[in-house]
Amino acid sequence: MLAHLRELAERDPLTGVYNRHYLMQELDRAFERARRGQGGGFALLYVDLDNFKFVNDSLGHLTGDRVLREVTELLRQRARRGDVLARLGGDEFAVVLHGVDEDAALAAAEGYRRQLAGYSVHHEGGSIHVGCSIGVAVLGPDVDSREDLLARADVAVQLAKRAGRNRVHLFRPEDRGDIESMSADIGWVRRIRQAIEEERFVLARQPIVRCADRAVCGHEVLVRMLDEKGATVLPGGFLPSAERFGLMADIDRWVVEHALAEMAAGAPGGGTVSINLSAQSVGDPAMLDFITAALERSRVEAQRVCFEITETVAITSMARAQALLAGLRRLGCTTALDDFGVGYSSFAYLKDLPVDRVKIDASFVRGLEGDRLKRAMVRAMNEVAHALGKETVAEGVETEGELAVLRAIGVDCAQGYLLGRPEIAAPTAPARRAGGAEG
């Protein structure tokens, strides 16, 4: 009985490997042996799965649990004698390597990465690749605690993800500055991941109106996070960390699913609903398939949905932006270029982007009525967009004077605090695939 209870206390119930509690005890034992000069060096690998959140969202938690069990078996197959494999929680694992130096730790980490590099989830004729990023921290004279070693491995895996995922990063002395500069961000990363798992995001809707008569022609959905006490966190609080550590695509998928769910449930307001896509989503080859499946699940008409990407994203990822926007239009969705005018040579590439709507950046609208240069620039943007058959929307309208100038210039639509502040809607659960389970 005691052995059984000990097993329950030390093992992860889903995968059968050791849990975080046991891992911390193992690190204590390793540090004690190192202090006595026994056992040689040791290292910690922090293994974070890539694309697992997409699997969970697309195929449901039952499939997600199956993936975790299969990944665990692959890691077990790769483990050397003496390696201690543990699941930290969610899609994060750790491996304690005994009797290794830096080179051996890197070689072992690369072996684990290759072991998962070819793993994919197959479903309904398609597949989703699930690889991993690995952070490596090796015991050295300047490592004074298990928490220090774990923090280094954590920073290293975040740097691996920032560098493009599916890679190994060894914590080095020059990364030390990142511990302090990234510690606040890493705290946000954990909070964001937890908020996604616990459904602690909400959507706010801001109206878009016709300049001519102020009739509402659509809404833009904007994401907000709720903290542990239920207070609203504005985007400036969490989006920078999400962008830095590769979580924006996960947040974008959450927004797509829940915005469509609200539309399917009959959310108030007419016209199209505009959804922003980040640079990470534009670069995600699976995003178009995800949106296609989400539309099918929600049964929302594609023509009611507009997807926006910023001009900066379009410039830096032109080929990917063109491919994604063209694919969205083939689905029947409308597309928009956000923050237009802030990039270099904006007009030069506008004709090459498959967008239906051009959103003039708020920096050109602010103080428009008293600035001749801004008026000339907005007029030029409006004329070029119309000549290319694209609708125009002015962002950041805050005064009656600005709206009057926009109306005189002939801008089609506007949004801003003058016309309506973002308001949080009642949350609506998205549709799930058959067989999926909510956590």
Side-chain angles (χ1 to χ4, degrees):
M1 176 65 76
L2 290 177
H4 178 64
L5 292 175
R6 186 181 303 111
E7 185 82 2
L8 291 176
E10 295 178 346
R11 295 282 178 174
D12 173 58
L14 176 64
T15 62
V17 297
Y18 290 117
N19 56 23
R20 178 185 282 270
H21 174 70
Y22 183 89
L23 173 75
M24 301 308 281
Q25 292 182 328
E26 179 67 17
L27 289 176
D28 284 338
R29 289 189 288 269
F31 269 96
E32 182 59 31
R33 287 193 294 270
R35 278 191 286 269
R36 295 198 304 262
Q38 301 172 346
F42 72 94
L44 178 65
L45 309 186
Y46 200 123
V47 183
D48 195 340
L49 301 186
D50 299 330
N51 294 327
F52 178 75
K53 182 64 171 59
F54 179 42
V55 172
N56 245 5
D57 284 349
S58 301
L59 306 182
H61 289 274
L62 291 179
T63 300
D65 288 350
R66 174 173 62 83
V67 168
L68 289 173
R69 288 191 291 266
E70 291 177 356
V71 164
T72 299
E73 183 57 32
L74 289 172
L75 294 174
R76 275 180 169 145
Q77 292 172 11
R78 181 64 197 182
R80 311 168 314 150
R81 182 183 298 273
D83 287 358
V84 177
L85 172 64
R87 182 183 176 213
L88 298 176
D91 60 350
E92 297 174 331
F93 295 81
V95 185
V96 180
L97 306 175
H98 292 288
V100 296
D101 57 13
E102 186 176 287
D103 290 339
L106 273 174
E110 185 60 28
Y112 279 108
R113 186 200 65 79
R114 287 197 302 268
Q115 181 78 350
L116 295 186
Y119 176 72
S120 296
V121 183
H122 300 281
H123 185 79
E124 294 182 355
S127 64
I128 303 172
H129 174 256
V130 180
C132 69
S133 300
I134 302 179
V136 183
V138 179
L139 176 67
D142 58 339
V143 181
D144 55 13
S145 68
R146 66 182 189 181
E147 288 78 17
D148 186 14
L149 188 71
L150 189 60
R152 294 177 183 219
D154 196 348
V155 167
V157 78
Q158 302 300 339
L159 291 172
K161 283 189 171 293
R162 189 203 296 181
R165 303 190 179 193
N166 189 31
R167 62 193 65 213
V168 171
H169 184 91
L170 170 69
F171 184 91
R172 297 187 180 279
E174 54 265 31
D175 296 330
R176 183 178 301 278
D178 283 316
I179 289 184
E180 292 185 6
S181 66
M182 292 170 66
S183 59
D185 279 335
I186 289 174
W188 272 111
V189 166
R190 298 196 183 282
R191 292 179 69 187
I192 292 166
R193 286 176 173 164
Q194 189 174 10
I196 293 173
E197 292 175 1
E198 297 176 359
E199 296 285 336
R200 284 193 286 104
F201 282 99
V202 293
L203 296 177
R205 295 161 59 90
Q206 184 176 35
I208 302 172
V209 308
R210 293 283 176 191
C211 289
D213 56 9
R214 295 199 183 194
V216 175
C217 57
H219 290 80
E220 180 178 354
V221 292
L222 306 164
V223 68
R224 304 287 188 262
M225 191 175 103
L226 301 179
D227 68 15
E228 293 79 358
K229 297 181 179 179
T232 301
V233 182
L234 295 178
F238 64 91
L239 287 187
S241 297
E243 290 171 347
R244 187 176 183 185
F245 290 101
L247 295 176
M248 278 307 305
D250 292 336
I251 293 176
D252 286 350
R253 293 188 185 106
W254 188 96
V255 171
V256 170
E257 288 273 19
H258 287 74
L260 293 177
E262 288 184 3
M263 295 175 72
T272 60
V273 170
S274 296
I275 300 171
N276 294 282
L277 296 178
S278 66
Q280 291 170 25
S281 289
V282 171
D284 183 353
M287 182 54 67
L288 185 60
D289 289 340
F290 175 83
I291 292 172
T292 302
L295 285 167
E296 291 174 352
R297 287 194 297 272
S298 68
R299 299 184 180 180
V300 170
E301 299 89 345
Q303 61 267 27
R304 295 177 57 201
V305 187
C306 177
F307 287 97
E308 300 184 8
I309 67 170
T310 66
E311 181 186 54
T312 302
V313 169
I315 293 172
T316 55
S317 306
M318 179 63 76
R320 291 177 177 177
Q322 287 175 322
L324 178 60
L325 292 169
L328 291 169
R329 290 178 100 183
R330 285 194 298 271
L331 291 177
C333 302
T334 57
T335 56
L337 187 64
D338 198 10
D339 300 340
F340 183 70
V342 299
Y344 177 73
S345 300
S346 299
F347 293 153
Y349 58 79
L350 182 58
K351 68 179 186 306
D352 297 321
L353 283 170
V355 294
D356 306 290
R357 187 178 295 171
V358 173
K359 302 189 74 172
I360 300 169
D361 188 69
S363 62
F364 298 100
V365 176
R366 194 174 303 115
L368 183 66
E369 67 269 39
D371 191 320
R372 293 177 59 187
L373 179 58
K374 285 185 177 180
R375 290 200 301 273
M377 295 181 73
V378 170
R379 183 177 292 108
M381 293 180 202
N382 190 62
E383 290 177 355
V384 170
H386 283 173
L388 295 171
K390 304 179 191 301
E391 185 180 56
T392 52
V393 180
E395 300 181 286
V397 180
E398 297 185 356
T399 69
E400 293 288 351
E402 291 166 356
L403 181 61
V405 173
L406 293 168
R407 187 184 298 119
I409 289 174
V411 174
D412 300 304
C413 301
Q415 70 181 105
Y417 283 0
L418 173 69
L419 306 165
R421 291 176 176 267
E423 294 185 359
I424 294 176
T428 303
R432 292 282 183 184
R433 285 182 183 268
E438 294 198 76

